Every structure is written in C-alpha cells, then in structure tokens.
Amino acid sequence: MTSSSFAPSRRSFVAGTLALVGAPAVALTREPDRLIAGTYASRGGPGVVPMAATGEGWTAGTPFAAIRNASFGVASRDGRMRYLLEEQQEGALGIYGRALNRLGTFSTLGADPCHAALSTDGGTLAVANYSSGNVTLWRLDRKTGLPIGEAQSVAHRGSGPNQRRQTGPHAHWVGFSRDGRMLHAVDLGADAVFAHRVDPASGRITGSTIAYRATPGSGPRHLAWHPQLPVAYLLAELTNTVTVLGANPDGSFTGGETLSTLPAGFEGQSSGAHIAVNRAGTRLYLSNRGHDSIAVYAIDRTGGLRLLQHASCGGHWPRLFLLREDRSEMLVANERSGNVAVLRVQADGRLAEPTRGPAIPGVVFLSE
C-alpha cells in the first residue's frame, strides 16, 4: 500500500474543495444553486436554513426548525441522503432524504458531535464526539443509506497543558483513507492525530495507534489532504498554526514546517477553525476566528506553504467556509455576526473583498 492510499476521497467532505477558476460556459445549463445552513440554537439559530441564489444574490428561505444545532454533516455521493449532526450533550445523528425529510435519528454514543465523514464507497459513516472524546462508526446499507446493526464507539485517551481546554480528549475531525481501511481522527484535547484501523468487511475498528503527536498545547482541530501528494495539513485551533505533515505507508505522519495562520504582530484573541485545499492542490485556505480572516497560502510542488493573503471574512467569528469550484466563490459562515459572506475566488487563488450575504443567526455550517 502506498502513502497516497491514505488520502481520503474529497467527496467525503461537505466543505469540499475547489479549482481556482469556474466554468462560465456551463452556467446556463447547471442546476439551480441551492445550499443549506446549519445554526446553533444558543445563538438564536432558527434551525437548518435553505439558501438559494437569485439575480440579486443569496437569499434565506423558511427554516427547518426541527433540525436544531446542526453543526456539521455529510451527504451521500448521489445527494440522496444527508447525515446531519445535532451538537448537544446527548449527541444525535439525523438522517434525512433529499427534501430534508427525516428518515431516522440515532445516538452518536457521545456528547457534542462536531464532525462526520463517509467512506469512499459510502458504506461506513464516522462521527467525532467533541466533549466525550470518542469516535463512533456505523455500517450503512448501500441501498437505503441507513445504519446496519449497532454503532461502535472507540474512546480516545490523552490530555494537554491547557487546563481550560485540554483536561481530556476532544475528538474534532474524522476522515477515511481512500481504501476505507484507516480512519484518522484529530483530537484537540489530546494534542494528537489517531489512526484507527478499520476492517472493510465489518466496518469495525480493530485497533488504534497515535499517528502524530502535535505540539503540546496546540490543540489540533482539522486536517486537510493534498489531492495528489502524500501530504496533509493540520490546523491547530489554540495556537493558530498549520503544520505540513508527510503521510507514511502505515498511516502515521511525519511533521514538517509549522506556520502561523495570523499576520505578524497580531496580538488579539483568535483561534483556528476550518481548512481546505483546492482541487488543483495549489492553494490552502484557513479561517481565523477573532482575527476574522481567511488565510490563503500557495502550495508548492512538494506541498510546502507560502502565505499569500489574509482576506476579510465579511463578518465576525468565521467558522466553516464552503469553497465552490463551479462558482469561483467562497461562502463563509460567520457565527457571531450571524451572516453568510460571499468572497469571489480570483484567478490566482486570492480572495476578493467580501459581500454580505443573507443574515442567519448563529450560522456555523454550510453544505451543497
């Protein structure tokens, strides 16, 4: 097995990745542009909000009020099924049809689920439970998209020096290898990336190791793979840094260069949130909550990074952003200002000045 086999399918991430330039010739024939936005009830969020693009920009529709605290989710490859997390003390997974009709609700066997991933073949679903520090797996029926049998829960172990945020494990991101035999999980509390071996026949985790030990106190949050190279990028929330990781054949990582996601001289409060690589593998994007920016890096032929830009996020506290290949745009969920901002992706990968999209209180998640 080669190192590249551990790079997950880009389709397993709702946030997705984008090429630098859209295809205007296709614009007249493509499907109507529609998205959904998940919100936090504690910040006045009305539920899951449908969004539609019009000639005057993006508009918000009538919320699905029953779908509360949808902080993340993934869709099946054919778009027929949605798996939305309900981030609350008794974590729940809601499974929905194309029209957001609820097909089932299942316990995530943990507290505050915050990230999910589907295996490339669509047969296994994984969830990261933040507060309880465990990951949960379901085997899915390929025909119905619904779970088969009982879910499996695997607990992380570890802590870090930050007494406020790292007294125990906090799973924050999950992602499958292309062949489905490895599930990586980033843990903010343990300062680690775990590698869970998965039996493809049963969809069960059969063993776990530490794939990478992050800098103590850095609080790793999200990971993004390069689409061609055996390289991944690890975003640390607590130190606002990104580390270049070399992927090894056994699923472990070798640490490389670490860069700040903030401009030199910035002294305010900030924390890293989301990360994505474009399909061409030439640009990396990260969101900074507090500095309220999107950091843009050029990626060289070996996977190394060079800072290009800090672009305004168009609001306050940018959480997840959505990079959209065909539209040459980035949409940013600004949680505390309660708005979705739209930034055009220019030909060189830099971001233009944001325009303010629809007002959606407590928005934290966007999905096609």
Side-chain angles (χ1 to χ4, degrees), residues 47-226:
V48 166
V49 180
M51 294 171 51
T54 68
E56 299 179 353
W58 285 97
T59 60
T62 302
F64 291 80
I67 311 176
R68 296 168 55 83
N69 296 312
S71 63
F72 198 79
V74 290
S76 61
R77 183 176 295 186
D78 60 8
R80 184 171 54 93
M81 309 287 289
R82 287 188 185 274
Y83 303 89
L84 299 179
L85 303 180
E86 297 180 26
E87 189 173 334
Q88 54 199 20
Q89 184 61 32
E90 295 183 1
L93 168 71
I95 302 180
Y96 301 87
R98 196 184 300 272
L100 288 182
N101 49 306
R102 189 184 294 262
L103 303 176
T105 302
F106 302 84
S107 169
T108 65
L109 307 180
D112 298 313
C114 60
H115 197 266
L118 278 168
S119 59
T120 303
D121 64 4
T124 310
L125 175 71
V127 167
N129 293 293
Y130 177 82
S131 293
S132 52
N134 65 304
V135 298
T136 304
L137 266 72
W138 289 266
R139 193 66 172 165
L140 302 178
D141 185 306
R142 305 285 182 82
K143 294 182 179 180
T144 68
L146 297 174
I148 302 172
E150 297 295 322
Q152 179 189 18
S153 174
V154 175
H156 288 175
R157 294 183 179 180
S159 60
N162 187 316
Q163 292 300 303
R164 189 173 68 87
R165 298 291 307 280
Q166 296 183 307
T167 56
H170 294 304
H172 217 311
W173 179 96
V174 285
F176 286 96
S177 60
R178 285 196 181 107
D179 62 9
R181 295 177 180 273
M182 187 70 69
L183 175 73
H184 285 105
V186 177
D187 196 295
L188 184 148
D191 282 327
V193 180
F194 290 85
H196 301 293
R197 294 185 297 278
V198 180
D199 174 21
S202 65
R204 309 287 285 184
I205 290 174
T206 59
S208 303
T209 59
I210 300 291
Y212 179 73
R213 292 192 181 277
T215 301
S218 60
R221 177 182 172 96
H222 278 194
L223 183 146
W225 286 88
H226 192 282

Side-chain angles (χ1 to χ4, degrees), residues 230-244:
V231 171
Y233 302 96
L234 183 65
L235 172 64
E237 175 176 334
L238 303 184
T239 55
N240 296 271
T241 56
V242 58
T243 299
V244 182

Side-chain angles (χ1 to χ4, degrees), residues 10-27:
R10 305 311 298 163
R11 295 183 182 180
S12 67
F13 298 100
V14 172
T17 54
L18 88 166
L20 294 180
V21 182
V26 183

Side-chain angles (χ1 to χ4, degrees), residues 18-42:
L18 88 166
L20 294 180
V21 182
V26 183
L28 295 179
T29 60
R30 57 192 172 193
E31 292 296 318
D33 203 3
R34 302 182 189 278
L35 301 173
I36 61 169
T39 64
Y40 276 158
S42 62

